[in-house]
Amino acid sequence: MKLLVVDDEPAAVSFLRRGLSEEGFAVDVATDAAQADAAVAAHRYDLIVLDVMLPGGDGFALCQRWRGEGVRAPILFLTARDEVADRVRGLRLGGDDYLVKPFAFAELVARIQALLRRDRGAQSPVLEVADLRIEPAQRRVTRGGEPIELTTREFQLLEYLARRAGEVVTRADLWEYVWGTEEVPDSNVVDVYVRYLRNKLGRSPDLIRTVRGGGYVLGPPAAARSCDGRDA
Protein backbone atom coordinates (compact mmCIF):
# COMPACT_ATOMS: atom_id res chain seq x y z
CA MET A 1 0.00 0.00 0.00
CA LYS A 2 1.26 3.47 -0.87
CA LEU A 3 1.17 6.18 1.82
CA LEU A 4 1.88 9.90 1.78
CA VAL A 5 3.35 11.37 4.97
CA VAL A 6 3.00 15.16 5.22
CA ASP A 7 5.14 16.64 8.01
CA ASP A 8 7.79 19.36 8.20
CA GLU A 9 9.79 18.03 11.16
CA PRO A 10 12.92 16.21 9.85
CA ALA A 11 13.14 13.84 12.82
CA ALA A 12 9.46 12.91 12.55
CA VAL A 13 9.72 12.41 8.79
CA SER A 14 12.75 10.14 9.14
CA PHE A 15 11.11 8.11 11.92
CA LEU A 16 7.82 7.70 10.08
CA ARG A 17 9.39 6.84 6.74
CA ARG A 18 11.66 4.21 8.26
CA GLY A 19 9.05 2.70 10.55
CA LEU A 20 6.24 2.55 7.99
CA SER A 21 8.58 1.15 5.34
CA GLU A 22 9.56 -1.63 7.74
CA GLU A 23 5.85 -2.38 8.13
CA GLY A 24 5.68 -3.04 4.38
CA PHE A 25 4.28 0.27 3.15
CA ALA A 26 5.60 2.31 0.24
CA VAL A 27 6.09 5.81 1.66
CA ASP A 28 6.26 9.21 -0.04
CA VAL A 29 7.02 12.34 1.96
CA ALA A 30 6.00 16.00 1.59
CA THR A 31 7.39 18.65 3.94
CA ASP A 32 5.17 21.62 3.07
CA ALA A 33 1.72 22.37 1.70
CA ALA A 34 2.88 22.89 -1.89
CA GLN A 35 4.75 19.57 -1.99
CA ALA A 36 1.72 17.81 -0.54
CA ASP A 37 -0.59 19.33 -3.14
CA ALA A 38 1.76 18.31 -5.95
CA ALA A 39 2.10 14.75 -4.64
CA VAL A 40 -1.66 14.24 -4.31
CA ALA A 41 -2.21 15.66 -7.80
CA ALA A 42 0.39 13.33 -9.30
CA HIS A 43 -0.28 10.05 -7.47
CA ARG A 44 -3.08 7.92 -6.13
CA TYR A 45 -2.39 7.15 -2.46
CA ASP A 46 -4.01 4.49 -0.34
CA LEU A 47 -3.77 6.70 2.77
CA ILE A 48 -2.44 10.12 3.78
CA VAL A 49 -0.84 10.89 7.17
CA LEU A 50 -1.25 14.64 7.56
CA ASP A 51 0.19 17.17 10.01
CA VAL A 52 -1.78 20.37 10.63
CA MET A 53 0.94 22.99 11.03
CA LEU A 54 2.89 23.17 7.76
CA PRO A 55 4.95 25.73 5.86
CA GLY A 56 2.83 27.41 3.20
CA GLY A 57 -0.52 26.28 4.55
CA ASP A 58 -2.17 23.98 7.05
CA GLY A 59 -3.48 20.46 7.04
CA PHE A 60 -7.07 21.46 7.64
CA ALA A 61 -7.15 23.55 4.45
CA LEU A 62 -5.40 20.79 2.48
CA CYS A 63 -7.87 18.16 3.66
CA GLN A 64 -10.88 20.33 2.82
CA ARG A 65 -9.52 21.14 -0.65
CA TRP A 66 -8.62 17.55 -1.46
CA ARG A 67 -12.07 16.33 -0.47
CA GLY A 68 -13.58 19.02 -2.67
CA GLU A 69 -11.42 17.81 -5.55
CA GLY A 70 -12.60 14.22 -5.12
CA VAL A 71 -9.62 12.72 -3.30
CA ARG A 72 -10.98 9.63 -1.54
CA ALA A 73 -7.90 8.28 0.23
CA PRO A 74 -8.34 8.00 4.01
CA ILE A 75 -6.70 10.93 5.82
CA LEU A 76 -5.23 10.48 9.30
CA PHE A 77 -4.31 13.71 11.06
CA LEU A 78 -1.09 13.35 13.07
CA THR A 79 -0.44 16.58 14.94
CA ALA A 80 0.48 18.26 18.21
CA ARG A 81 -2.80 20.21 18.08
CA ASP A 82 -4.67 18.46 20.88
CA GLU A 83 -7.69 20.67 21.54
CA VAL A 84 -11.10 19.05 21.18
CA ALA A 85 -12.09 21.84 18.78
CA ASP A 86 -9.16 20.94 16.53
CA ARG A 87 -10.11 17.25 16.50
CA VAL A 88 -13.70 18.07 15.67
CA ARG A 89 -12.64 20.47 12.92
CA GLY A 90 -10.30 17.95 11.32
CA LEU A 91 -12.93 15.23 11.24
CA ARG A 92 -15.66 17.56 9.97
CA LEU A 93 -13.44 18.77 7.13
CA GLY A 94 -13.02 15.22 5.84
CA GLY A 95 -10.42 13.57 8.06
CA ASP A 96 -10.98 9.91 8.91
CA ASP A 97 -8.96 9.77 12.12
CA TYR A 98 -7.02 12.09 14.42
CA LEU A 99 -3.95 11.12 16.49
CA VAL A 100 -2.13 13.56 18.76
CA LYS A 101 1.66 13.81 19.10
CA PRO A 102 3.50 12.40 20.97
CA PHE A 103 2.12 9.03 19.97
CA ALA A 104 2.89 5.32 20.18
CA PHE A 105 4.07 4.01 16.82
CA ALA A 106 2.20 0.74 17.32
CA GLU A 107 -1.03 2.69 17.73
CA LEU A 108 -0.36 4.68 14.55
CA VAL A 109 0.19 1.46 12.58
CA ALA A 110 -2.97 -0.08 14.05
CA ARG A 111 -5.02 2.98 13.11
CA ILE A 112 -3.58 3.00 9.57
CA GLN A 113 -4.39 -0.68 9.15
CA ALA A 114 -7.92 -0.15 10.44
CA LEU A 115 -8.52 2.71 8.00
CA LEU A 116 -7.14 0.67 5.11
CA ARG A 117 -9.37 -2.29 5.99
CA ARG A 118 -12.38 0.02 6.11
CA ASP A 119 -11.47 1.63 2.80
CA ARG A 120 -10.86 -1.71 1.09
CA GLY A 121 -14.23 -2.94 2.30
CA ALA A 122 -15.92 0.12 0.85
CA GLN A 123 -14.19 -0.34 -2.50
CA SER A 124 -13.84 -4.04 -3.16
CA PRO A 125 -12.93 -6.71 -0.59
CA VAL A 126 -11.90 -9.16 -3.31
CA LEU A 127 -10.05 -8.76 -6.61
CA GLU A 128 -10.60 -11.41 -9.28
CA VAL A 129 -8.80 -11.82 -12.60
CA ALA A 130 -9.69 -15.00 -14.51
CA ASP A 131 -9.22 -17.82 -11.95
CA LEU A 132 -6.98 -15.66 -9.75
CA ARG A 133 -8.52 -14.42 -6.50
CA ILE A 134 -6.89 -11.77 -4.28
CA GLU A 135 -8.20 -10.84 -0.84
CA PRO A 136 -6.21 -7.71 0.15
CA ALA A 137 -7.50 -7.44 3.72
CA GLN A 138 -6.39 -11.00 4.50
CA ARG A 139 -3.35 -10.86 2.18
CA ARG A 140 -4.61 -14.11 0.66
CA VAL A 141 -4.08 -15.24 -2.94
CA THR A 142 -5.52 -18.31 -4.64
CA ARG A 143 -5.59 -19.52 -8.21
CA GLY A 144 -8.09 -22.15 -9.19
CA GLY A 145 -8.79 -22.53 -5.49
CA GLU A 146 -5.17 -23.37 -4.66
CA PRO A 147 -3.41 -21.07 -2.14
CA ILE A 148 -0.30 -19.17 -3.28
CA GLU A 149 2.28 -17.92 -0.79
CA LEU A 150 3.79 -14.54 -1.71
CA THR A 151 6.37 -12.26 -0.11
CA THR A 152 5.36 -8.72 0.83
CA ARG A 153 6.89 -7.25 -2.34
CA GLU A 154 5.31 -9.89 -4.55
CA PHE A 155 1.90 -9.29 -2.99
CA GLN A 156 2.24 -5.52 -3.46
CA LEU A 157 3.14 -6.02 -7.13
CA LEU A 158 0.24 -8.38 -7.72
CA GLU A 159 -2.33 -6.20 -5.93
CA TYR A 160 -1.27 -3.14 -7.92
CA LEU A 161 -1.47 -5.05 -11.21
CA ALA A 162 -4.86 -6.46 -10.22
CA ARG A 163 -6.30 -3.05 -9.38
CA ARG A 164 -5.30 -1.99 -12.89
CA ALA A 165 -6.15 -5.29 -14.58
CA GLY A 166 -6.21 -5.03 -18.36
CA GLU A 167 -4.12 -1.82 -18.31
CA VAL A 168 -0.46 -1.51 -19.23
CA VAL A 169 1.52 -0.80 -16.06
CA THR A 170 5.03 0.51 -16.63
CA ARG A 171 8.11 -0.62 -14.75
CA ALA A 172 8.39 2.93 -13.38
CA ASP A 173 4.83 2.69 -11.99
CA LEU A 174 5.61 -0.60 -10.28
CA TRP A 175 8.92 0.62 -8.88
CA GLU A 176 7.39 3.79 -7.45
CA TYR A 177 4.39 2.00 -5.93
CA VAL A 178 6.24 -0.92 -4.36
CA TRP A 179 9.63 0.58 -3.54
CA GLY A 180 8.42 4.12 -2.90
CA THR A 181 10.82 6.20 -4.99
CA GLU A 182 10.41 7.87 -8.35
CA GLU A 183 13.91 7.10 -9.68
CA VAL A 184 13.96 3.65 -11.28
CA PRO A 185 17.32 1.89 -10.84
CA ASP A 186 19.38 0.74 -13.81
CA SER A 187 19.14 -2.87 -12.63
CA ASN A 188 16.27 -5.19 -13.56
CA VAL A 189 14.83 -5.44 -10.04
CA VAL A 190 11.22 -5.07 -11.23
CA ASP A 191 11.67 -7.69 -13.94
CA VAL A 192 13.16 -10.12 -11.43
CA TYR A 193 10.23 -9.72 -9.03
CA VAL A 194 7.71 -10.08 -11.85
CA ARG A 195 9.45 -13.32 -12.85
CA TYR A 196 9.21 -14.59 -9.26
CA LEU A 197 5.51 -13.71 -9.28
CA ARG A 198 4.89 -15.42 -12.62
CA ASN A 199 6.52 -18.61 -11.42
CA LYS A 200 4.40 -18.69 -8.28
CA LEU A 201 1.15 -17.92 -10.11
CA GLY A 202 1.81 -20.58 -12.75
CA ARG A 203 1.95 -20.23 -16.50
CA SER A 204 -1.05 -22.29 -17.63
CA PRO A 205 -1.85 -19.75 -18.90
CA ASP A 206 0.50 -16.94 -17.90
CA LEU A 207 -1.70 -14.12 -16.57
CA ILE A 208 1.10 -11.53 -16.53
CA ARG A 209 1.95 -10.42 -20.03
CA THR A 210 4.98 -8.39 -21.08
CA VAL A 211 4.20 -5.46 -23.37
CA ARG A 212 7.17 -4.59 -25.57
CA GLY A 213 8.33 -1.06 -24.78
CA GLY A 214 5.50 -0.63 -22.30
CA GLY A 215 5.60 -2.77 -19.18
CA TYR A 216 3.21 -5.42 -17.90
CA VAL A 217 -0.50 -6.15 -17.95
CA LEU A 218 -2.43 -8.58 -15.78
CA GLY A 219 -5.26 -10.49 -17.38
CA PRO A 220 -6.11 -13.42 -19.66
CA PRO A 221 -3.89 -13.58 -22.79
CA ALA A 222 -6.59 -12.07 -25.02
CA ALA A 223 -6.71 -8.96 -22.79
CA ALA A 224 -3.03 -8.12 -23.15
CA ARG A 225 -2.52 -5.30 -25.62
CA SER A 226 0.54 -3.35 -26.63
CA CYS A 227 0.71 0.43 -26.50
CA ASP A 228 -0.31 0.69 -30.17
CA GLY A 229 -3.31 -1.59 -29.67
CA ARG A 230 -1.78 -4.79 -31.07
CA ASP A 231 -1.67 -8.02 -29.10
CA ALA A 232 1.52 -8.40 -27.09
Side-chain angles (χ1 to χ4, degrees):
M1 307 297 285
K2 191 173 183 65
L3 310 185
L4 174 65
V5 172
V6 185
D7 199 306
D8 66 322
E9 298 177 17
V13 166
S14 177
F15 172 72
L16 290 169
R17 174 184 274 164
R18 182 177 65 253
L20 292 172
S21 295
E22 289 174 355
E23 291 292 326
F25 298 107
V27 182
D28 283 356
V29 169
T31 57
D32 60 38
Q35 287 183 11
D37 259 336
V40 170
H43 307 288
R44 184 174 62 185
Y45 292 102
D46 296 295
L47 183 140
I48 300 169
V49 178
L50 181 61
D51 195 3
V52 172
M53 296 174 285
L54 296 166
D58 69 75
F60 292 142
L62 287 174
C63 178
Q64 184 177 31
R65 182 164 64 254
W66 291 339
R67 291 304 189 220
E69 294 170 350
V71 175
R72 299 181 60 186
I75 294 176
L76 188 158
F77 282 103
L78 183 63
T79 175
R81 299 269 290 269
D82 62 354
E83 297 292 330
V84 172
D86 290 322
R87 300 176 192 229
V88 171
R89 183 183 179 193
L91 296 173
R92 284 181 173 172
L93 289 175
D96 297 276
D97 201 353
Y98 197 106
L99 183 60
V100 174
K101 299 176 181 178
F103 60 94
F105 183 72
E107 182 181 1
L108 173 64
V109 172
R111 286 173 180 252
I112 288 173
Q113 291 172 337
L115 288 173
L116 291 173
R117 284 196 300 271
R118 185 191 311 166
D119 189 56
R120 284 168 172 169
Q123 293 179 16
S124 174
V126 176
L127 300 169
E128 293 183 306
V129 180
D131 60 346
L132 181 67
R133 181 181 174 90
I134 304 162
E135 299 172 71
Q138 292 77 29
R139 297 183 66 83
R140 183 182 302 133
V141 178
T142 58
R143 185 171 186 190
E146 295 296 321
I148 299 171
E149 296 296 326
L150 300 178
T151 66
T152 297
R153 298 290 194 202
E154 291 165 351
F155 186 89
Q156 289 173 329
L157 278 170
L158 180 61
E159 183 182 5
Y160 188 60
L161 288 168
R163 292 194 182 278
R164 295 181 57 181
E167 301 177 27
V168 176
V169 180
T170 68
R171 290 172 177 82
D173 287 339
L174 289 170
W175 176 263
E176 184 180 348
Y177 184 83
V178 176
W179 283 269
T181 61
E182 294 185 4
E183 185 176 351
V184 182
D186 293 333
S187 63
N188 61 340
V189 173
V190 174
D191 297 329
V192 169
Y193 271 86
V194 169
R195 185 166 67 249
Y196 292 158
L197 191 55
R198 272 179 162 149
N199 290 337
K200 289 187 177 183
L201 296 181
R203 300 185 180 233
S204 301
D206 190 348
L207 292 180
I208 302 177
R209 309 281 292 181
T210 301
V211 179
R212 292 187 295 275
Y216 297 100
V217 64
L218 180 70
R225 314 290 290 183
S226 67
C227 294
D228 60 5
R230 295 175 301 177
D231 290 335

